[in-house]
Amino acid sequence: MSDMHRITMTVNGTDRIVDVPANRALLDALRDECGLPGTKECCAVGECGACTVTMDGRTVNSCLVLAVEADGADVRTVEALAADGELSPLQQAFLDHGAVQCGFCIPGMLMSAEALLTENPDPSEEEIREGLSGNLCRCAGYARMFAAVRAVADGTVTARRRDSVPILATNWEGAIADAATHGPKETGR
């Protein structure tokens, strides 16, 4: 008897067939079987929201959902937000408002904010806070995130091509390569 289960799900608009053990979390299936590393694993007990995705239109902590429970479901991850090389207005707003600090919580924040704005295109400040309340940010960048969501609701942000956004070093390897190329940054001290 095999412990593997074949499941079919639509992920970001593409049909996927994957074989998973019964105890495999949706988070792991998305990252490992589907090759979508944007969804982050952090607490793995459903408290931080870093692994938030939408499943049939509802936000879920993918670390708490078994992959077999997603059989037949429509799943959206953070990778679905940028289409054709263009950041979504929500992603652009997060950049414009400096809402991205270390970045680890951002995929879950974006998915929760996207779900909120889909359900309620003009949320109040309290509704924005409630909509993102399942996501924790260790950098405490909440005010900027709330402002970014408000800007999208107000329609003051437009999508922009990814290659037009100045990307600085996004990881340590990039930072090291950047420092090797341009020298250390001056801090003004």
Side-chain angles (χ1 to χ4, degrees):
M1 184 171 121
S2 172
D3 290 339
M4 299 297 281
H5 298 270
R6 176 159 288 180
I7 64 170
T8 302
M9 56 186 171
T10 302
V11 181
N12 300 336
T14 302
D15 291 335
R16 303 278 187 142
I17 299 172
V18 295
D19 295 317
V20 293
N23 63 349
R24 185 104 164 133
L26 176 59
L27 169 65
D28 297 324
L30 291 170
R31 291 178 57 86
D32 299 336
E33 276 76 29
C34 296
L36 297 169
T39 305
K40 302 300 181 205
E41 178 178 3
C42 190
C43 72
V45 293
E47 292 188 4
C48 73
C51 66
T52 302
V53 299
T54 62
M55 189 166 94
D56 294 331
R58 295 181 41 214
T59 57
V60 296
N61 290 320
S62 61
C63 70
L64 296 180
V65 176
L66 294 174
V68 293
E69 294 177 287
D71 190 22
D74 181 27
V75 177
R76 283 182 39 113
T77 69
V78 70
E79 285 91 347
L81 296 182
D84 300 324
E86 187 171 282
L87 296 177
S88 73
L90 189 58
Q91 291 171 309
Q92 189 61 55
F94 269 60
L95 288 176
D96 291 349
H97 287 80
V100 179
Q101 302 294 310
C102 80
F104 203 82
C105 69
I106 297 304
M109 288 283 186
L110 287 169
M111 294 308 294
S112 291
E114 178 80 7
L116 169 67
L117 292 170
T118 298
E119 185 176 312
N120 180 1
D122 189 24
S124 67
E125 179 75 21
E126 185 62 32
E127 290 167 328
I128 293 171
R129 290 175 181 269
E130 178 63 26
L132 300 183
S133 65
N135 299 81
L136 301 178
C137 172
R138 290 183 161 205
C139 305
Y142 296 106
R144 292 176 180 202
M145 293 174 193
F146 300 156
V149 175
R150 181 75 255 151
V152 173
D154 291 343
T156 60
V157 178
T158 57
R160 224 180 298 165
R161 291 200 53 80
R162 272 190 276 192
D163 55 9
S164 69
V165 177
I167 303 294
L168 302 176
T170 56
N171 58 41
W172 286 111
E173 291 174 356
I176 292 168
D178 191 47
T181 303
H182 304 291
K185 292 182 181 178
E186 294 191 27
T187 61
R189 292 184 192 182

